[in-house]
Structures are given as C-alpha cells and as structure tokens.
C-alpha cells in the first residue's frame, strides 16, 4: 500500500504534479486528436455532407455517455476520498459496484438510442443524403456503447491507481487502431460513414479490454472485489459527478442549437464549418481537461487527508499551469487558423471561408475555458458536486443559451461564433466568485 500511495506523499512541486498530469494531458489530447482524424478521413474521402452528419449525431452520442461520465468522475472522487481516509476495502467494493452500474446503463442507453434515432433525424429537415449518413453512422456506433462507457471509467480509475502512463498507452493504441481502421474501412473497402463509426468503436474498446485485466489483478491499487450494493455510494458518485453529466448533456443540446442555427443561416455548409471549429476548440480544451483529470485524485486525496497545506500549493501551481496553457493555445490557434481549416475543407469550398472567420472569433474563448474547466473539476474532486454542477451548467447551458439566442439576432452568422467567447467570459466571472467564496472552507 505504501508503495502505491507514494505519489500522494511526495511534496507538491511542479515537477511532481506534471509527472502525474502529463500522461493524462497527453491521453486526452490524443483522444481529441483521433476524433479530428475521423473528421479528416470522413470529409476528404466521403465529403463535407458526411462531416455534417457526424456532427449531427454528436448530441445523441453525448446524451448516451452522460450518465457514464457522471459515474466515472463522481465515483473516482468519492473512491479516492475513501482511500485518503484509509477505507481501502470499502473503496474497492464501491468501485466494482459502480462499474457494474455502468454496464447496465450502457445496455439501457444502447436500446434507447436505437428506438429514438429514426424519429430524431426525421424531424430535422435534413436532405435525404445527410439524413442517411446520420442513421448509418449512429446505428454502427451504438453497438459499442458498453465498451465506450467502460473506457470512460477505466481511463479515470487508471489515473487514480497511479497507472496514468498505462492509460496513455491504451489511448495511443486505441487511437492508432482507429486511424488505421479509418483508412482500411474508408479508403480500401469503401465502407463509408459506417466504417468510420466501427473504427471509432473498436479504437475506444482497447481501454475497456485492458481495464478488465488491470482491475482484475489484486496488485492494482484499485481492483475488483465482491461488490456491495450501497445506495449511498451511488448517490455520492451521482452528486459529485452531476456537473460532468450536466456538461455532457448540455454539450449535446448546445451542439444541436449550433447546428439548427447554422442550418437556418447558411445551410448544411454551416454545420460542416461548426464541426471544424468544434474540433479546434475540443483539441485545445483537452489540454485543460487532461490536466484537471490528472490532478483530481491528488485534490481528493489531500482533501480526505485534511492536508490543507498541500491542497493550497496544488491549487496555486495549477492556476499558473492553466494560465501558461491558455496563452500558448490562443497564440497557436490564431497563427494556424488557415492551415487547420484547409485540412478539412479546400479554399474553394464555401465551408472554408465560414470556418476561418469562425475559428478566429472563437479562439478568444480559449483565454477563459481553461480556468472554467479547472474550477468545475476542482469542486468535483473536493466532493462538492453541487457547486461544480452550478458552474458547469451555467457555463455550458445558461450562458450559452443566452448568447446563442441573442447574439445571432444582432450580428447574424458572426453572432453564432461570438456566443462561445461571451458565454465563457460570463462563466469565468462565476468561477472566480465561487473560488473566492469557498476558499476558507477548503483551505486552498
């Protein structure tokens, strides 16, 4: 046990934090990167109509995985808090129980997805071509619901068990497999968007399969043990992770709003442009998400241990790291706008001009996004799911909804692009308020 918990007992220095967080950052960046590669293959080998379809299915996929995201992030925080309190056996029983809950949720969500998808796409007023792509992509993707939910969970539990490097290896292996299969299924066998969906599902399944072996071994800090049904454990995971579930749910709803607004102003070319910009924002946001996931087990452990000195130093250093990442991503996004967009759409395609303008405006949001992601993740790690949910829900839904309704009326298509920076700025004000309000309570 001492060997496994050494990382939590080391002094809080930038070097030790980065040792813990860098594999997680690399992992989340890589996962977002191979989502972009999916888009790259689809847009270049099938067309921008197919790229629009992949984006139009994204809200349903996010709805399907929302509960798993809640149980993964909330469960990890609750379980590592118990480890910090030296309740190891109870933590392992809860861990196994929550994994079983995920499997059941996956089966239910898969069935619900198949029942609902025909009605959803039929009511969107899409061209027959794009609607066909949507149904084809989603029907293949849903087959992998359970492995994808297990991947969400095992990724975070590997990090908490000091196996962040293994989690990274799994993500890289899954990503490489996904890319290779994208080429084989799309370029060689001509399987279309169904090939892209199958490639993605098989890529995600790598972490799920490896996780079953890792957590089946008693040598792991966390491992499977005979589960005990504790409603309190499930409620605690749900409360802690409700902000992440809200974010996943709301991201789906906001993506739908972006798509509908763009369909209204520009048509299906606009949806393709939104997709390209979302890839860029997702890639940058993955740096912050990866860092937040990386330090979350440390925050939870120090909170359970009541070690305020380490907690305070960890939060202080984290804010500086987030600031450095923000400056770098803003500069890179401005400088690389045209090359990034040209990878997905040729300059003579109407999608190109829309995406270049949109990306330059949306890049401003990268100044604020990192601090908002870290604030929400920090409160989850401190087992305060309510504040985390308020921050995440306000940022992802309330502020986005307000800006998405108002700004396009004032500025047209540019208003759609301005909505994200405006919402993130409003969210930053709320994050700073909550951060300062609860500083004494947690001692960070």
């Amino acid at each position: 046990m001492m060997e496994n918990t050494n990382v939590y007992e080391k002094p809080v220095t930038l070097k030790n934090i980065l040792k813990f967080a860098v594999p997680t950052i690399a992992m989340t960046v890589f996962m977002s990167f191979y989502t972009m590669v999916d888009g790259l293959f689809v847009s270049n080998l099938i067309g921008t109509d197919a790229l629009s379809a992949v984006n139009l299915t994204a809200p349903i996929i996010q709805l399907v995985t929302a509960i798993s995201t809640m149980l993964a992030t909330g469960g990890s925080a609750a379980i590592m808090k118990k480890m910090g309190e030296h309740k190891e056996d109870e933590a392992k029983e809860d861990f196994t129980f929550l994994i079983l809950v995920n499997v059941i949720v996956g089966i239910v969500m898969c069935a619900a997805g198949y029942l609902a998808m025909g009605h959803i796409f039929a009511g969107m007023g899409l061209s027959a071509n794009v609607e066909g792509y949507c149904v084809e992509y989603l029907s293949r993707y849903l087959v992998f619901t359970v492995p994808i939910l297990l991947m969400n969970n095992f990724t975070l539990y590997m990090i908490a068990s000091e196996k962040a490097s293994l989690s990274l290896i799994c993500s890289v292996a899954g990503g490489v497999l996904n890319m290779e299969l994208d080429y084989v299924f799309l370029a060689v066998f001509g399987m279309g968007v169904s090939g892209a969906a199958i490639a993605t599902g098989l890529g995600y399944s790598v972490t799920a399969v490896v996780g079953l072996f890792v957590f089946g071994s008693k040598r792991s800090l966390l491992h499977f043990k005979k589960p005990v049904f504790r409603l309190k454990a499930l409620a605690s995971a749900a409360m802690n992770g409700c902000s992440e579930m809200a974010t996943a749910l709301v991201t789906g709803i906001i993506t739908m709003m972006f798509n509908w607004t763009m369909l209204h102003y520009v048509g299906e070319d606009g949806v393709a442009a939104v997709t390209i910009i979302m890839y860029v924002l997702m890639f940058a946001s993955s740096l912050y998400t990866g860092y937040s996931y990386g330090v979350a087990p440390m925050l939870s452990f120090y909170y359970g241990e009541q070690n305020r000195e380490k907690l305070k130093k960890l939060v202080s250093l984290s804010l500086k790291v987030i600031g450095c990442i923000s400056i770098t991503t803003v500069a890179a996004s401005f400088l690389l706008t045209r090359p990034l967009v040209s990878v997905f759409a040729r300059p003579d395609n109407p999608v190109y001009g829309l995406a270049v303008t949109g990306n330059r405006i949306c890049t401003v949001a990268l100044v604020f996004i990192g601090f908002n992601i870290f604030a929400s993740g920090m409160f989850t790690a401190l087992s305060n799911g309510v504040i985390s949910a308020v921050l995440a829900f306000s940022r992802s839904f309330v502020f986005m909804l307000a800006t998405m309704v108002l700004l396009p009326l004032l500025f047209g298509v540019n208003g759609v692009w301005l909505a994200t920076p405006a919402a993130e700025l409003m969210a930053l004000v709320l994050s700073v308020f909550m951060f300062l309000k609860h500083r004494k309570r947690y001692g960070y």
Side-chain angles (χ1 to χ4, degrees):
M1 181 66 192
M2 286 296 288
E3 188 182 330
N4 281 320
T5 55
N6 271 345
V7 70
Y8 297 105
E9 292 167 0
K10 287 178 182 175
V12 179
T13 62
L14 183 60
K15 185 182 174 184
N16 287 336
I17 292 169
L18 291 179
K19 266 187 186 175
F20 210 75
V22 164
T24 321
I25 295 170
M27 178 195 68
T28 51
V29 166
F30 196 83
M31 285 173 75
S32 72
F33 176 69
Y34 76 75
T35 304
M36 288 173 74
V37 170
D38 262 1
L40 179 67
F41 275 105
V42 168
S43 61
N44 284 285
L45 295 177
I46 310 173
T48 49
D49 273 1
L51 184 65
S52 299
V54 171
N55 188 30
L56 288 162
T57 62
I60 300 164
I61 290 165
Q62 283 156 344
L63 293 172
V64 167
T65 57
I67 293 176
S68 169
T69 305
M70 170 187 75
L71 293 173
T73 52
S76 176
I79 285 163
M80 288 317 295
K81 182 171 178 280
K82 283 190 176 180
M83 294 293 277
E85 294 166 347
H86 303 294
K87 298 175 181 173
E88 289 89 353
D89 287 341
E90 201 175 309
K92 288 165 192 169
E93 289 163 0
D94 290 350
F95 161 65
T96 312
F97 167 57
L98 291 174
I99 294 297
L100 287 174
V101 170
N102 270 277
V103 172
I104 295 163
V105 166
I107 294 164
V108 172
M109 287 297 190
C110 177
Y114 275 109
L115 290 171
M117 72 178 162
H119 304 291
I120 294 165
F121 297 126
M124 289 177 102
L126 304 169
S127 66
N129 197 30
V130 172
E131 187 181 331
Y133 282 140
C134 288
V135 172
E136 189 184 342
Y137 185 85
L138 189 62
S139 62
R140 306 302 189 278
Y141 190 97
L142 285 172
V143 172
F144 297 95
T145 304
V146 171
I148 289 168
L149 300 199
L150 288 177
M151 180 274 296
N152 282 345
N153 281 265
F154 289 156
T155 295
L156 292 189
Y157 286 118
M158 280 182 194
I159 296 162
S161 299
E162 287 189 62
K163 290 182 169 59
S165 298
L166 177 62
S167 189
L168 170 61
I169 291 165
C170 289
S171 297
V172 171
V176 170
L177 180 66
N178 181 20
M179 292 173 204
E180 288 174 346
L181 292 178
D182 268 334
Y183 177 76
V184 172
F185 292 163
L186 273 68
V188 179
F189 294 128
M191 290 170 66
V193 290
S194 62
I198 294 166
T200 301
L202 289 171
Y204 282 149
S205 299
V206 170
T207 303
V209 173
V210 173
L212 291 172
F213 286 100
V214 168
F215 296 113
S217 167
K218 291 189 176 178
R219 286 178 296 176
S220 177
L221 176 64
L222 279 177
H223 56 257
F224 295 132
K225 194 178 170 113
K226 188 178 177 182
V228 176
F229 179 86
R230 287 191 189 92
L231 196 58
K232 191 178 177 184
L234 184 58
S236 176
M239 282 297 290
N240 284 341
C242 61
S243 62
E244 281 70 19
M245 183 182 76
T247 303
L249 285 170
V250 164
T251 302
I253 295 163
I254 293 299
T255 303
M256 277 194 279
M257 281 193 65
F258 262 112
N259 292 339
W260 287 336
T261 308
M262 271 305 183
L263 284 168
H264 172 71
Y265 282 100
V266 190
E268 287 165 356
D269 284 343
V271 177
V274 165
T275 311
I276 294 166
I277 287 157
M278 282 187 170
Y279 284 151
V280 176
L281 285 175
M282 177 181 65
F283 186 75
S285 297
S286 67
L287 292 163
Y288 311 121
T289 306
Y291 181 83
S292 298
Y293 281 169
V295 298
M298 297 171 82
L299 289 165
S300 299
F301 193 92
Y302 298 147
Y303 175 57
E305 204 179 39
Q306 290 296 299
N307 193 329
R308 291 196 163 204
E309 187 185 337
K310 280 190 171 182
L311 197 60
K312 187 174 184 176
K313 196 164 184 187
L314 179 57
V315 171
S316 173
L317 282 169
S318 293
L319 292 174
K320 290 170 187 170
V321 171
I322 296 288
C324 291
I325 297 173
S326 298
I327 294 164
T328 308
T329 52
V330 169
S333 185
F334 270 123
L335 290 170
L336 300 173
T337 290
R338 286 185 182 276
L340 281 169
V341 173
S342 65
V343 169
F344 295 94
R346 292 184 178 87
D348 59 348
N349 190 321
V351 171
Y352 179 84
L354 279 168
V356 167
T357 305
N359 191 66
R360 285 184 172 153
I361 296 169
C362 283
T363 291
V364 177
L366 295 175
V367 178
F368 318 119
I369 287 175
F371 296 102
N372 292 329
I373 289 173
F374 177 73
S376 178
M378 182 187 77
F379 282 111
T380 298
L382 296 173
S383 293
N384 195 328
V386 175
I387 292 174
S388 183
V390 168
L391 292 176
F393 189 72
S394 300
R395 170 187 169 234
S396 307
F397 188 67
V398 178
F399 300 145
M400 276 302 300
L401 186 64
T403 55
M404 276 291 294
V405 169
L406 182 63
L407 295 179
L409 293 174
L410 297 173
F411 304 107
V413 176
N414 285 342
V416 180
W417 307 130
L418 282 166
T420 302
E424 291 291 349
L425 176 58
M426 293 159 75
L428 181 66
V429 173
L430 183 61
S431 294
V432 170
F433 171 75
M434 288 295 191
F435 187 88
L436 296 174
K437 184 182 177 185
H438 295 280
R439 202 167 193 168
K440 283 186 181 176
R441 176 179 173 184
Y442 293 106
Y444 47 72

